[in-house]
Amino acid sequence: MTDSDPRPPFRDPSLPRQERVADLLARLTIDEKIGLLHQYHRPVERLGMGPFKTGTEALHGLAWLGEATVFPQVVALGATWNPELVEQVGAAVADEVLAFNHDDPVKVGRNVWAPTVNPLRDPRWGRNEEGYSEDAWMTGLMGGAYARGLKGDNGSVWKTAPTVKHFLAYGNEADRCTTSSNMPPRVLREYEFAAHRPALASGDAVAVMLSYNLVNGRPAHVTPLVNTELRTWTADEVFVVSDAYAPNNLAQLQGYFEDLPTAYAAAVKAGLDSFTQDDDRAEGVLAHLVTALDRGLLDENDIDTAVRRNLHVRFGLGEFDPEDPYAHIGREVVNSPEHRALAREAAAQSITLLKNDGILPLKAPKRIAVIGPLADVQMQDWYSGTLPYAVTARQALAQRAEVTYCEGVDRIRLRHKTGYVTAVDDGAALALTDTTGAAAQYDLFDWGGWSYTARSVATGKYVDGRLDGTVGADSPGPHEFDVHETFKIVEVEGGKVAVRQIHKGEDAETGKWFAIEDGRIVLTGDQARAAEFDFEFVVKARTVAADLAREADVVVAVLGDHPLVNGRETEDRRDLRLPDAQEWLLRDLVAANPNTILVMSSSYPYAANWAAKHVPAVAWSGHGGQEWGNALADVLYGGRDAEGRLPQTWYTDAAELPAMLDYDIVASDATYLYYLGQPLYPFGHGLSYADFKYANLKAGKDHAGPGDVLEVTVDVTNTSDRDGVETVQLYSHQCGSRVKQPLRQLRAFQKVRLAAGETRTVRFDVAVDDLAHWDNTTGRMIVEKSRQRLMVGRSAANIVLSASVRVDGTTVGPRDLSQPLAAASNDAYAGVLWRDETRASGDVIAAEEAGGWIMLGDCDFGSGFTSVTARVSGHAAQLQLRVDDPLDGDVLAKIDTPMTAGVYDYADVTVDFGGAEGVKDLYVTFESGPVRLASLAFGGES
């Protein structure tokens, strides 16, 4: 084997991919191998290996690289409940990636960082728009469909290499790099794994991105679950990349390792293959990896394993093949007529009708007042492409009727005792002057959470607090990762206000304040220097809007969020309310004209409680991309049925939600699976213009067992005089179980298009094995012996018919105490945390203070034990073992734990134990802390 072979095996496409990878790997020097472990691969010219870059953003269209087709946000694609359509969108995006790649293969890589498969556990999450659903199974289904479209496998060469993200248990933005997600085994396997597994198990995704957060006290970038679980889901290689700048967090923000070489070595051993760090400056990363090798923290086999997975992707993309089967795909596909039509179709299917008192579809109104801050703009989120054009609600409706319009935002002035805040030098600065005209006037946008943007009337641009401390009015608006155009208006004494920028420096507790220096507005971190202003209204939007509403036949109020403000990457929402100014506007519109339709375009649900009661029609969609206005008009006029269905629950208040960092959906009764309250709009909700009747639900059989498939059928009839679309949803509920079960769980759905009067039999195939849940006593997924209630309906809360099936599954026996009991496998708990047993593997239970407890159910004590050994670490503390109740149960043992050398230094403490016979629930109570408990072992059986 020589480098000058006329056709080395790695360039022979007739050979199996693994042989080609092995051949190329054997030709690389150790330095060349290390050069492939950064996001920007170093070329190896002697072998003809050119540059290669991982990571092109393609969440709902090609992003950050210029104009490309912009499809609806991911949450809107989820609302289509149409995986076939989502696959088509993925295929279109793949073609546009290829077109850009053919123009510039160095800048535009074909390893795409999509889809996002984090389930939408909490609607306050700042990245809510990136997820498909709060249901894990549906998330996996839709994410897998998008990945399948992106991959576009022709049998030998992929169009792109899709990357599911973000593994694991990632769903909060506040302090996301330092917070730890509590993951009990059931939540981990039934919820998190269920969302991540499908796209990988099917082979539709070939890579995974790790998440910023910690999981059970261990950074996700060194989780052992990559190797012990994730890579067992498929026989193929899985390429694992870091999130941007996350590797250095391991030794810096997270402080989990003493230095970066140690951290990098641990990450590679845990399964990380590619470091996304320092942009295209690879030197630092490569130097740390070399140091890790020199120290013996890594060996060449570790490097080879990671390099092999990198090469697997490059070979999968056909890089070393003699011909490119996709060479014919060029720029003509970008924003092509076919992709425009697909964008319109996806937007139309995403629009969800939440309420309709009969005002829709529109009946040829002559004049429509289109009002609201989103009425004549199409928003882009951080991962959107650059819009080649945008059809707004105003533009589309104006093609069908006379339209009057206003943004519905107040126009204001800020008056200081020495003058008005004025845009000068074409907005390059703000200064105090005597003018009261356009240069001193600003349109004030309320985006909720006390977050405002202000647009200069004179410049048409937004007020921007810059990093150098100056303030101007020359920004296009929030558009960068660090948003400098949002402000809070803070009331101070005397009825005046101060203005504080929301963006804050890296070590600052709050943003900076508007201050005055030499007659100009500047930023200061000293609140004592904050300038005080009087707030003057030039135009009160509600008055103008109400006047337009009175003169119209129908009002369409288009309200919602700015995707880069109050709910975005790095920023969670604090509440679910519509922005106050938007709600006040809506109320005045309804008072002026009861024929008002509320259209919400937003990245997330709102607690739109007043609207649900008082507005005759309410519709929602995520930000719908370039064709959204046309799609909206199609639906409002009835040319298209309202097909969207909610992919997540809409709650009446944030008070209905658990704490943002409480990831245990089972214990906290979270998501539609366990939520006991009455939602504003339930998961799966969405109205059609047609009416449907369900009949003849059949489960296929009365009894079933593991390995069987239930053939569930139901007849659905369109009973109306127009064609319509219904999304038939099948849920299950396990009646009777050793553990808490979901109230209802989505098992299948089908979108059916029925002509007026048409009846169709809808069939669902449900594998009994898919009804399994995680059993802590046996440490595996089981199908429990039970009665399963199968339910069909229009939403999780609108069940129409049900049937029952007896499942001859497993009867879970008591816990076997001849083996140690892992504390992390408890059945219930309070006041404790899951934490890392060692830096490399394992979970333990940690109590930071007194009062916590865990319950290990159904422990079989037989005729009794005489001793118990606790494996503990941390501070000196006391544990008590009780039966049947954590407070009043009989105390069977008191365990005084010693101080150990650290949380990873464990001691075994053995004490006398007695008084328990037969099968009992065992409680471990933590009488003091902090302390960690790994396991309990019982001995001396009586």
Side-chain angles (χ1 to χ4, degrees), residues 146-170:
Y146 191 66
R148 188 158 53 253
L150 284 172
K151 189 180 181 188
D153 193 347
N154 70 355
S156 60
V157 177
W158 317 326
K159 286 185 175 179
T160 73
T163 304
V164 297
K165 58 182 189 177
H166 311 81
F167 191 81
L168 178 71
Y170 172 43

Side-chain angles (χ1 to χ4, degrees), residues 412-423:
I412 60 102
R413 285 189 291 256
L414 288 177
R415 179 169 58 85
H416 187 260
K417 60 185 178 182
T418 59
Y420 287 91
V421 176
T422 307

Side-chain angles (χ1 to χ4, degrees), residues 552-831:
D553 299 312
V554 172
V555 177
V556 177
V558 190
L559 310 180
D561 78 310
H562 191 305
L564 295 179
V565 180
N566 185 34
R568 57 181 295 271
E569 187 167 359
T570 73
E571 181 185 355
D572 299 311
R573 284 192 294 167
R574 295 180 180 273
D575 61 59
L576 305 179
R577 300 197 314 268
L578 269 173
D580 289 342
Q582 294 189 33
E583 172 118 349
W584 298 333
L585 171 68
L586 178 64
R587 294 187 183 208
D588 283 7
L589 292 176
V590 173
N593 188 337
N595 295 322
T596 294
I597 300 160
L598 169 61
V599 176
M600 289 175 282
S601 178
S602 67
S603 304
Y604 40 63
Y606 282 113
N609 302 327
W610 187 90
K613 292 181 180 179
H614 299 285
V615 181
V618 180
W620 168 82
S621 81
H623 295 284
Q626 62 196 51
E627 283 285 342
W628 181 76
N630 283 330
L632 177 67
D634 290 341
V635 173
L636 294 184
Y637 271 86
R640 294 291 304 262
D641 198 6
E643 295 188 28
R645 300 295 183 264
L646 291 180
Q648 60 189 135
T649 305
W650 284 43
Y651 298 92
T652 57
D653 195 281
E656 295 292 293
L657 296 166
M660 190 73 194
L661 291 179
D662 189 346
Y663 278 74
D664 188 346
I665 64 167
V666 181
S668 63
D669 295 327
T671 77
Y672 85 95
L673 295 164
Y674 298 96
Y675 178 57
L676 296 168
Q678 183 69 35
L680 180 65
Y681 297 114
F683 173 78
H685 173 70
L687 305 177
S688 166
Y689 292 140
D691 296 315
F692 301 91
K693 178 183 176 182
Y694 291 62
N696 302 322
L697 174 66
K698 298 177 182 178
K701 56 182 70 177
D702 296 327
H703 288 79
D708 289 343
V709 174
L710 301 173
E711 297 178 2
V712 182
T713 58
V714 63
D715 295 337
V716 182
T717 301
N718 181 349
T719 60
S720 61
D721 58 2
R722 62 162 289 158
D723 298 349
V725 180
E726 177 73 321
T727 299
V728 185
Q729 301 165 39
L730 175 68
Y731 296 86
S732 73
H733 170 67
Q734 181 172 321
C735 305
S737 175
R738 179 185 171 277
V739 296
K740 182 178 181 179
Q741 291 289 340
L743 301 171
R744 80 290 285 173
Q745 185 167 1
L746 183 68
R747 296 299 182 181
F749 62 86
Q750 195 172 132
K751 178 177 278 194
V752 292
R753 303 176 186 277
L754 298 177
E758 180 184 359
T759 297
R760 188 179 306 168
T761 299
V762 177
R763 172 175 161 171
F764 303 108
D765 291 336
V766 179
V768 171
D769 291 348
D770 289 342
L771 304 178
H773 66 269
W774 181 259
D775 176 50
N776 279 323
T777 63
T778 58
R780 59 186 177 90
M781 298 291 289
I782 64 165
V783 176
E784 202 171 8
K785 184 177 182 179
S786 63
R787 181 170 64 88
Q788 291 282 345
R789 184 182 177 213
L790 302 175
M791 305 168 282
V792 293
R794 302 182 178 95
S795 75
N798 187 356
I799 300 300
V800 180
L801 297 171
S802 67
S804 292
V805 176
R806 289 284 178 183
V807 174
D808 298 322
T810 300
T811 298
V812 179
R815 290 179 186 264
D816 178 7
L817 300 192
S818 67
Q819 301 294 322
L821 295 181
S825 293
N826 62 76
D827 294 304
Y829 65 95

